[in-house]
Amino acid sequence: MPQAGSARVAYRVEDEFREAGTGDWKQPGTDIAVNTLEIDNDAERVRNPDNAIPVGSREGNALLNASVEFTLTDDDWAVDLLPLLGDSLDGRGRVVPTAEWFFEAEYLDDGLGIDDDHLTLAGAAIESVDVDYNDGEFVTVSLDIIGGGLSSSAPTEGEITQPDEEDVFTQHSLDLSIGGRDADVVESATLSITGLAERSEQTGDRLPRAMVLGPVEPEFDVEATYTGPDTLELATGDTTSSIGDLIDGEATAEYHFENGIGDSVEFDLTNVQPVNYDWSGLVDAETELTEPATFHVANVSVGGA
């Protein structure tokens, strides 16, 4: 049956790992899609050598995973859930922020009445994040979440703080510059950060003892219409006639959004280094020449108003 209007999704920051928080339940954005909500018991079959039929199975670690995608409406999810020191990613702290993530579904029971059940991940941390801009579409965020357990916590009706339609960051909201050079005609852009959290497993328990920082790897992909050699010069080492000895590691990038009512979400990228650069559509009569580029990024800071 159709599921429109029959679900709720929200998070609440925990005070301690796997302990219920006392703050607000927040919906992370609008147009939410839950692509994965999984309990993996990591089970292995048990066999005896004289029989092809397994004796049974035994459970391994409990692996709880969720994947959530939504339209960008604010930076609360980033400020609340990313491992930040000040505004920037914290590479020296080991334990990362965790939250309860609440997922609820309404359904028709056997008697055709309406019932609901919920699944709340506890001790849940953001493992990776993508912030995507595509020309002609709303700005979207994708979060991969790893859970440290389950909780009975659930918000009451009306307790979840929800954004309004005017909060949405649309296709007109982007303000992008790389190496101090404005990108005027952007087809697509993605800020991707992986390694934000890992499970710290413990002996004698199927659940982790904490969520800790992994090897953080920020990356930035941009495809823009070619309007001059600025990005090409970054890729070659400040010249288009030869390859320099070093790619510029001092460049910065500003990946900023403004929603039209004075609210902004700003990602500032440091030590932006081009890894791959391409010309696309060079002899295509039906498209403009674009320059897809991939950059390694050292750190990301989150700001806005």
Side-chain angles (χ1 to χ4, degrees):
M1 61 171 285
Q3 295 296 306
S6 60
R8 292 193 296 165
V9 177
Y11 74 88
R12 179 173 67 178
V13 177
E14 292 179 335
D15 296 330
E16 298 288 343
F17 180 63
R18 275 202 308 257
E19 292 187 9
T22 56
D24 295 335
W25 287 99
K26 299 178 182 179
Q27 184 176 297
T30 61
D31 313 303
I32 294 176
V34 179
N35 299 318
T36 302
L37 183 54
E38 177 185 50
I39 300 173
D40 182 357
N41 282 311
D42 196 27
E44 294 189 20
R45 296 186 186 276
V46 178
R47 298 181 182 275
N48 286 324
D50 61 348
N51 197 324
I53 305 301
V55 176
S57 298
R58 286 303 306 268
E59 67 282 352
N61 288 332
L63 307 176
L64 311 175
N65 303 289
S67 177
V68 177
E69 181 178 337
F70 52 90
T71 296
L72 181 68
T73 56
D74 56 57
D75 63 0
D76 283 1
W77 59 270
V79 174
D80 290 341
L81 304 176
L82 296 184
L84 300 175
L85 180 61
D87 294 332
S88 300
L89 293 176
D90 180 12
R92 298 183 65 85
R94 291 301 299 161
V95 177
V96 301
T98 56
E100 297 172 291
W101 275 88
F102 166 80
F103 303 90
E104 181 185 74
E106 287 186 348
Y107 58 93
L108 294 179
D109 60 23
D110 291 341
L112 297 185
I114 297 177
D115 206 344
D116 63 76
D117 281 318
H118 73 267
L119 189 62
T120 301
L121 303 185
I126 305 302
E127 182 180 37
S128 66
V129 56
D130 288 348
V131 181
D132 292 305
Y133 168 87
N134 288 283
D135 186 34
E137 302 177 9
F138 294 163
V139 182
T140 61
V141 178
S142 299
L143 303 179
D144 288 328
I145 302 164
I146 51 177
L150 295 177
S151 166
S152 61
S153 295
T156 59
E157 193 68 32
E159 191 179 359
I160 298 173
T161 301
Q162 295 180 310
D164 296 321
E165 75 278 0
E166 64 183 7
D167 298 319
V168 167
F169 288 83
T170 69
Q171 63 269 28
H172 309 299
S173 64
L174 177 65
D175 183 11
L176 172 63
S177 68
I178 302 173
R181 306 163 174 98
D182 291 335
D184 295 322
V185 190
V186 180
E187 301 291 330
S188 64
T190 299
L191 172 62
S192 176
I193 312 173
T194 62
L196 291 168
E198 294 181 345
R199 298 173 175 89
S200 178
E201 307 293 356
Q202 59 182 327
T203 303
D205 199 318
R206 299 182 62 212
L207 296 174
R209 60 177 181 157
M211 293 295 179
V212 297
L213 198 64
V216 179
E217 295 186 354
E219 188 170 276
F220 193 46
D221 291 284
V222 181
E223 182 171 3
T225 298
Y226 190 84
T227 57
D230 292 342
T231 305
L232 174 58
E233 289 174 353
L234 280 178
T236 59
D238 291 330
T239 175
T240 60
S241 60
S242 65
I243 296 296
D245 293 333
L246 295 172
I247 56 176
D248 186 1
E250 298 303 319
T252 61
E254 296 179 351
Y255 190 38
H256 293 182
F257 303 96
E258 201 276 328
N259 65 1
I261 61 170
D263 297 333
S264 63
V265 174
E266 301 174 354
F267 300 96
D268 292 323
L269 319 181
T270 60
N271 288 50
V272 176
Q273 295 180 287
V275 177
N276 183 272
Y277 177 89
D278 186 21
W279 273 2
S280 177
L282 180 60
V283 293
D284 191 334
E286 297 182 358
T287 63
E288 293 188 90
L289 174 65
T290 63
E291 47 180 353
T294 298
F295 300 87
H296 279 177
V297 177
N299 206 339
V300 178
S301 64
V302 181

